[in-house]
Amino acid sequence: MTPSQNYSIGVIDSGVGGISVLKCIRDYLPHENLIYVADSKFAPYGEKTSEEITRRVLTVFEFLDMHKLKSVVVACNTATAASIQILRDQFNYPIIGMEPAVKPASMLSKNKVVGVLATSGTLLSAKFSALLEHHGSDIHFITQPCSGLVELVEQGDFKSPDLMALLKQYIDPLLKENIDTLVLGCTHYSFLKPIIQVMMPSHIEIVDTGDAVAKHLKHILVEKKLLSLSHTAGKLDFWTNSLDPNAASVIEKLWGMDSNTFSYKGLWS
Ligand code: DGL
């Protein structure tokens, strides 16, 4: 099926983290119809093998394939690192991935000491090593896997004592190394940006990738003549396979806009 301008854009993640990217996409592309799919029943992806992650992502694409799509954004650094090439080889519409903002951080950092918070899957991937090699030759990168954070964000937790304690455990070693820039290399962590900001000295710049991904998506749609021609607000459907009875209210809290701006579809698998 050749993609067309009035088809939808899929946005996927292991769970609700990709909603941080979805918000940027909605800002840049207000007239597009968006379908968000959260694989929350199988989150987190961060400590799974690439083969397991690829199997899950292909299952999500199988579901998405029931819709007419013109592009899919893999709003997950871990899934991008594990599967993006396999997806691009298999589907005929543009597939946009994510990677930790190593390049912008290396340009922003004045003292050349940069911290990266991400999942183990992302930090151990060949894609991430190549990224550091390519953009970070003169930078001291300190990487920190953050086991447990995704699960808390999945529950809509942005500020409990448990969350604060976990964050402190991950951030303190970076502060000791005197970082002046911090990369949030997992889309779930973007929701923790305000709390991370207050836990660190104010001169430390925090960078994530949602905005750049949304801009890139728009560029690709323009280039491929796939931009929607509509002048009315696009539709937004949220699909999740979460078994948590609070899933809808977590999504509503993270989306943070009037719930009339989306429809909640519940279980997709
Ligand atoms: N949100 C994801 C990312 O950007 C994945 C988190 C996970 O499921 O471990 O990497």
Side-chain angles (χ1 to χ4, degrees):
M1 194 165 23
T2 316
S4 121
Q5 285 149 336
N6 56 354
Y7 287 8
S8 301
I9 298 167
V11 181
I12 69 164
D13 182 37
S14 64
V16 294
I19 295 174
S20 60
V21 181
L22 189 73
K23 286 180 172 201
C24 303
I25 294 174
R26 180 44 91 222
D27 285 348
Y28 276 94
L29 297 162
H31 305 127
E32 300 292 341
N33 293 329
L34 305 174
I35 302 172
Y36 186 89
V37 187
D39 195 20
S40 292
K41 192 157 73 175
F42 296 89
Y45 282 0
E47 279 142 51
K48 291 186 166 52
T49 64
S50 332
E51 292 73 23
E52 284 172 316
I53 296 169
T54 301
R55 264 201 302 279
R56 284 311 313 158
V57 174
L58 287 172
T59 306
V60 176
F61 267 74
E62 219 171 87
F63 169 73
L64 266 178
D65 234 27
M66 292 190 266
H67 303 82
K68 289 179 169 173
L69 295 175
K70 59 182 176 184
S71 181
V72 173
V73 177
V74 180
C76 177
N77 295 266
T78 316
T80 300
S83 333
I84 199 80
Q85 202 47 54
I86 296 168
L87 298 171
R88 286 186 178 141
D89 290 344
Q90 218 162 308
F91 296 89
N92 72 338
Y93 41 69
I95 298 180
I96 316 293
M98 314 249 335
E99 61 187 17
V102 160
K103 185 180 173 192
S106 63
M107 293 190 301
L108 270 175
S109 174
K110 294 191 179 67
N111 72 355
K112 307 291 178 202
V113 188
V114 173
V116 183
L117 302 182
T119 66
S120 311
T122 298
L123 296 176
L124 294 173
S125 68
K127 236 175 163 301
F128 185 70
S129 306
L131 193 62
L132 289 192
E133 209 164 295
H134 203 72
H135 299 291
S137 52
D138 61 335
I139 308 277
H140 178 37
F141 281 100
I142 303 148
T143 59
Q144 175 65 61
C146 300
S147 180
L149 283 186
V150 165
E151 290 88 328
L152 292 171
V153 175
E154 284 290 309
Q155 292 160 25
D157 179 357
F158 309 145
K159 57 173 188 217
S160 71
D162 283 355
L163 174 83
M164 302 281 284
L166 206 52
L167 274 178
K168 190 169 157 34
Q169 182 191 321
Y170 294 141
I171 290 171
D172 277 357
L174 306 182
L175 296 181
K176 281 204 190 87
E177 298 275 352
N178 201 26
I179 60 162
D180 73 351
T181 310
L182 177 67
V183 175
L184 301 184
C186 168
T187 54
H188 282 75
Y189 307 166
S190 294
F191 287 111
L192 305 175
K193 200 168 173 178
I195 189 97
I196 293 174
Q197 195 93 62
V198 298
M199 293 174 77
M200 298 195 312
S202 57
H203 73 275
I204 299 178
E205 291 260 17
I206 303 180
V207 281
D208 58 11
T209 332
D211 220 48
V213 166
K215 227 183 192 162
H216 180 59
L217 170 64
K218 182 168 182 180
H219 174 82
I220 297 286
L221 294 179
V222 169
E223 190 183 81
K224 305 226 175 260
K225 301 195 172 28
L226 286 174
L227 205 59
S228 165
L229 302 176
S230 155
H231 294 291
T232 55
K235 285 196 310 163
L236 170 57
D237 290 340
F238 277 107
W239 290 91
T240 177
N241 55 6
S242 172
L243 302 173
D244 183 339
N246 293 323
S249 63
V250 169
I251 286 176
E252 204 165 318
K253 180 173 167 187
L254 296 179
W255 180 239
M257 298 180 207
D258 184 344
S259 53
N260 293 326
T261 60
F262 73 89
S263 69
Y264 175 75
K265 303 288 194 180
L267 285 181
W268 64 268
S269 80

